[in-house]
């Protein structure tokens, strides 16, 4: 316990020093009035500033300019509170599931980030990330690899460890999504995979794609590695695309071969400190097929989005179960901002810009979000449970690097032939230098 407290104190000291540097930089120099050309930094929506003779004196404080490559470093930290108020039925369900539902504070994750642009004729960037996962109490490598631009065919190729490309919300950085956690039905999709992903966008037609092939050669034994190999695709169309208004429609399909011919689907109630509310347990499966659709519309401060997925398994002994779930969410910025949309590496939403932070006398950015989500893990002979939840929340972006989130939720669990409800109270402090 003493070691854990000491580690937390050291971590807090590092964060405090980084905040001090960032505040000093923001107040002394800033970058609000100068537009620096940028390019995609990986596949999660981050951007990397291009350094050349005309912008070298304006480069970010956390970027170095080397002979063969630029080097940009970053750090990210999530600290949260989760409180639960279950009824007596849910308490009994937790007993039967042999898990505990305890309120408290927790470190969600902590990350070190490195990236840069190789100085070559063709546009090539690289990225490396290391993350501490609070729920697993362990470190692992996040998105790491190289991305090569092919402007001739309006696309990019990423080689290394990255997001598969299935689901817009799953591809986005967890630090950029509207809610604290992604919706439950996306949980069966591994957060990372090792392989090759091809992404492209045709502006005239509005057609875009993510196509990837992955294997577990390097990730075997990692918590996110559930398949020996997988093919993932996301094909979409943007009938409306402008700086202020976007309409995004896409279909997703994924094929995989479960590791050791077994699979297990489970999901927390969109609260990381909580235990798994629904869980199929391990069952035999020779092949997995995931498919679904997504639709997003954004115009100025308003954003509406929905995703719905089905997860199908070739498992004769359990009657080939088909699980399903999804979400619908609405977001509105009371301060007039909008979530930017990127088309050059995956067609996803990015980080919310803060024009005037509270540290410069502004009020930051205020966003209200509400989401309904559900996930059904009862199918075939498997009774993993069903859960739905409605969650209104408020995001306060104090600065580009600091965000506070506050959410209330209510969810209903159907499991063990019982139905019970739980109230959720969650808050999170998010710090990100990128």
């Amino acid at each position: 316990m003493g070691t854990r407290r000491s580690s937390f104190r050291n971590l807090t000291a590092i964060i405090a020093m980084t905040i001090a540097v960032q505040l000093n930089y923001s107040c002394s120099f800033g970058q609000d009035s100068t537009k620096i050309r940028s390019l995609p930094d990986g596949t999660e929506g981050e951007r990397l500033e291009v350094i050349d003779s005309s912008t070298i004196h304006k480069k970010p404080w956390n970027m170095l300019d080397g002979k063969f490559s630029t080097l940009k470093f970053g750090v990210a930290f999530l600290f949260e509170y989760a409180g639960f108020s279950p009824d007596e039925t849910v308490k009994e369900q937790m007993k039967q599931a042999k898990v505990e539902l305890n309120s408290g504070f927790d470190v969600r994750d902590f990350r070190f980030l490195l990236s840069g642009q190789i100085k070559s004729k063709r546009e090539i960037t690289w990225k490396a990330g290391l993350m501490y996962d609070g729920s697993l109490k362990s470190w692992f490598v996040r998105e790491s690899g190289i991305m090569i631009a092919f402007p001739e065919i309006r696309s990019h190729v990423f080689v290394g460890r990255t997001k598969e490309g299935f689901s817009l919300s799953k591809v986005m950085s967890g630090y950029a999504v509207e809610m604290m956690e992604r919706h439950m039905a996306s949980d069966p999709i591994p957060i990372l995979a090792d392989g090759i992903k091809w992404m492209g966008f045709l502006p005239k037609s509005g057609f875009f794609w993510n196509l990837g092939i992955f294997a577990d050669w390097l990730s075997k034994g990692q918590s996110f590695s559930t398949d020996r190999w997988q093919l993932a695709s996301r094909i979409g169309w943007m009938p409306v695309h402008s700086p202020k208004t976007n309409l995004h429609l896409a279909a997703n399909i994924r094929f995989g071969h479960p590791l050791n011919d077994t699979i297990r689907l489970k999901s927390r109630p969109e609260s990381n400190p909580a235990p798994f509310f629904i869980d199929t347990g391990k069952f035999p499966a020779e092949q997995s097929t995931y498919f679904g659709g997504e639709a997003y519309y954004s115009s100025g401060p308003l954003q509406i989005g929905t995703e719905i997925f089905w997860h199908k398994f070739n498992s004769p002994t359990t009657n080939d179960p088909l699980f399903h779930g999804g979400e619908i969410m609405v977001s509105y910025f009371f301060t007039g901002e909008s979530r930017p949309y990127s088309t050059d590496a995956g067609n996803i939403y990015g980080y919310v810009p803060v024009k005037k932070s509270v540290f410069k006398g502004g009020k930051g950015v205020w966003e209200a979000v509400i989401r309904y989500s559900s996930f059904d893990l009862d199918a075939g002979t498997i009774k993993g449970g069903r859960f739905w939840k409605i969650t209104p929340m408020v995001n306060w972006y104090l600065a580009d690097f600091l965000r506070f989130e506050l959410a209330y939720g209510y969810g209903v669990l159907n499991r063990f032939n019982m139905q019970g409800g739980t109230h959720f109270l969650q808050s999170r402090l998010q710090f990100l230098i990128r």
Side-chain angles (χ1 to χ4, degrees), residues 4 40 73 119 180 204 208 246 292 304 328 341 352 355 359 409 416 421:
R4 184 174 180 182
F73 65 90
K119 296 185 176 180
M180 291 188 190
K204 288 186 178 181
F208 66 88
N246 293 283
I304 302 172
I328 182 168
Y341 186 93
V352 176
K355 293 181 180 178
F359 304 106
F416 306 119

Side-chain angles (χ1 to χ4, degrees), residues 378-390:
D378 286 345
T381 62
I382 295 174
K383 300 298 180 184
R386 306 189 308 275
F387 184 74
W388 65 260
K389 184 181 180 184
I390 186 165

Side-chain angles (χ1 to χ4, degrees), residues 152-173:
E152 306 89 344
I153 53 175
R154 297 185 179 276
S155 61
H156 290 77
V157 171
F158 189 95
V159 181
R161 175 167 293 181
T162 184
K163 304 288 184 67
E164 291 186 8
F166 188 107
S167 163
L168 183 148
S169 65
K170 199 75 172 183
V171 176
M172 288 175 62
S173 168

Side-chain angles (χ1 to χ4, degrees), residues 247-283:
L247 176 58
H248 162 120
L249 306 171
N252 300 265
I253 188 165
R254 176 187 187 274
F255 301 99
H257 188 133
L259 195 63
N260 300 321
D261 293 328
T262 61
I263 195 74
R264 179 184 183 183
L265 274 65
K266 54 186 179 179
S267 182
R268 304 180 195 276
E270 296 164 352
S271 175
N272 196 65
F276 296 103
F277 269 37
I278 51 179
D279 188 343
T280 64
K282 290 185 177 181
F283 64 93

Side-chain angles (χ1 to χ4, degrees), residues 233-250:
S233 64
R234 179 166 163 258
I235 310 297
W237 176 50
M238 295 195 69
V240 179
H241 174 51
S242 71
K244 291 187 177 181
T245 304
N246 293 283
L247 176 58
H248 162 120
L249 306 171

